[in-house]
Amino acid sequence: MFDELTFPVIAAPMAGGPTTPELVAAVTEAGGFGFLSAGMLTPAALAAQFDRTRELTGREFGVNLFVPQPDTGADVSAHRERLQAFAREYDVELGEAKWDDDAYPAKLDVVLEKRVPVVSFTFGPPSPSDVLRLKEAGSTVVVTVTTPEAARRAADLGADALVLQGFEAGGHRSLFTDDANLPGGGAEYGVLALLRLVAARVDLPLIAAGGLVHGADVAAVLAAGAVAAQLGTVFLRADEAGTSEAHRKALALAERETAFTRAFSGRPARGLVNKFMDALSEGAPAAYPQLNHLAGPVRKASAKAGDPEAISLWAGQTYPLAYDASAAVILERLKVEARDAAARLDRLR
């Protein structure tokens, strides 16, 4: 279905606030495709967001689910002690470092009940039985991968399409296995390298993601074999996005480097470097979602105070090229840039 889009751009699911029904609907109405993010939402909140999006657009859109992670049993006590300094600074109590499944079974029931046309997965592959249930309900199943090996595994499970997430991407890496000894949690492939390597091994529609913010980026991945480009960072400053003001200001200033960190959630994610990352990234255990729950009150207090130093400023490597505009204007600009880029390819004839 992605090769039938009016314009082959997908608004990435961005958990934690940036993705809203208004953003998904605006991108979809402008000829692209949008995903709601179910990660860290309650099942009731997911259902409400789905219904709200359906009110805003009659076009198809999708939902992204976080695949539950195994409890690693990692010791989080040292991280908790270091985090106490931030808790005191913002005058909050730390959260409970508990493991949970993000209410995955109940949220899967929601997407089945709502007959969501496209369901994507992050953090690992769905089970074969879940794939079967979704397909019987008429859903297209999409799995996000970061390596050729993961792509092959997802294809064998029956995925209908793959999102190939390059290391340039902002937010959490969709690793099937998180290696605690590596800053990025696993092998780091750029989006173009990953696209070509996977295309040589898997015969499925491929969606490219990772640092794509310009229409020329869209043209480049289409030329390399993708059926669509998935963009997140360029929509963080969209009028319809739920990005916090502190996050927006940090993005607009464009003064910070990006890096991977486990400090906020226990899984590697790329964001703008701030005091929290500087202080807590080294030695942060691979313990998701325990660290996410533990640091939650600090993040919320920092955001409420308009302080960017203790919130997860997720963004891709090319974030300085993003800008403030409505989603429709962003889509139109991407179209113009992509057509200009395609025209430059005439020199190859």
Side-chain angles (χ1 to χ4, degrees):
M1 64 169 295
F2 296 109
D3 55 0
E4 299 174 357
L5 293 176
T6 303
F7 184 54
V9 161
I10 297 168
M14 297 178 285
T19 290
T20 64
E22 290 74 18
L23 177 61
V24 171
V27 170
T28 302
E29 284 293 307
F33 189 88
F35 277 104
L36 289 173
S37 177
M40 298 182 284
L41 292 181
T42 65
L46 171 60
Q49 286 203 8
F50 182 88
D51 291 343
R52 173 60 178 159
T53 309
R54 183 167 275 171
E55 290 174 359
L56 295 170
T57 179
R59 298 175 183 270
E60 290 189 340
F61 57 92
V63 170
N64 174 261
L65 297 173
F66 284 180
V67 176
Q69 301 301 288
D71 186 351
T72 64
D75 184 359
V76 304
S77 58
H79 190 79
R80 180 190 289 109
E81 286 302 311
R82 293 192 296 158
L83 186 54
Q84 286 290 358
F86 284 90
R88 288 190 293 269
E89 180 178 348
Y90 293 98
D91 193 25
V92 295
E93 295 290 330
L94 294 177
E96 181 185 354
K98 63 180 180 179
W99 180 90
D100 61 37
D101 63 3
D102 196 35
Y104 173 83
K107 285 190 272 196
L108 182 64
D109 286 343
V110 170
V111 300
L112 288 165
E113 178 187 344
K114 300 292 185 181
R115 306 190 75 83
V116 177
V118 184
V119 180
S120 71
F121 292 87
T122 299
F123 292 174
S127 68
S129 61
D130 288 347
V131 171
L132 181 60
R133 289 177 68 195
L134 287 164
K135 289 192 172 186
E136 288 177 343
S139 298
T140 295
V141 175
V142 181
V143 179
T144 308
V145 301
T146 59
T147 67
E149 293 74 23
R152 181 70 268 169
R153 182 177 167 191
D156 290 344
L157 284 169
D160 297 304
L162 304 175
V163 173
L164 309 184
Q165 184 194 46
F167 68 79
E168 307 95 333
H172 286 94
R173 302 197 71 205
S174 187
L175 303 162
F176 281 18
T177 302
D178 178 11
D179 186 339
N181 297 311
L182 298 175
E188 297 176 15
Y189 291 93
V191 62
L192 285 176
L194 187 59
L195 181 57
R196 297 313 307 145
L197 288 169
V198 172
R201 299 180 60 175
V202 173
D203 185 21
L204 285 175
L206 305 178
I207 299 162
L212 310 178
V213 298
H214 192 280
D217 303 334
V218 177
V221 296
L222 293 181
V227 298
Q230 181 168 285
L231 284 62
T233 297
V234 76
F235 292 113
L236 283 171
R237 292 168 62 185
D239 297 344
E240 299 87 351
T243 313
S244 72
E245 285 305 310
H247 196 169
R248 286 177 183 271
K249 289 177 181 178
L251 293 168
L253 286 172
E255 296 175 343
R256 302 172 189 255
E257 297 295 323
T258 70
F260 288 128
T261 185
R262 282 191 185 83
F264 287 102
S265 72
R267 281 185 66 94
R270 183 181 293 283
L272 309 187
V273 177
N274 58 10
K275 291 180 181 178
F276 192 101
M277 286 176 63
D278 277 338
L280 298 172
S281 290
E282 186 174 352
Y288 179 91
Q290 289 92 324
L291 296 197
N292 191 57
H293 293 312
L294 187 67
V298 171
R299 294 196 309 270
K300 290 177 182 177
S302 182
K304 184 177 180 180
D307 180 4
E309 297 303 334
I311 60 177
S312 45
L313 302 169
W314 302 144
Q317 287 185 318
T318 50
Y319 83 92
L321 302 178
Y323 45 90
D324 297 322
S326 68
V329 168
I330 293 171
L331 262 291
E332 186 57 35
R333 180 166 166 178
L334 289 169
K335 288 178 187 178
V336 172
E337 293 166 343
R339 289 166 184 158
D340 287 347
R344 291 195 293 273
L345 294 179
D346 284 344
R347 61 184 295 190
L348 297 179
R349 294 180 181 176

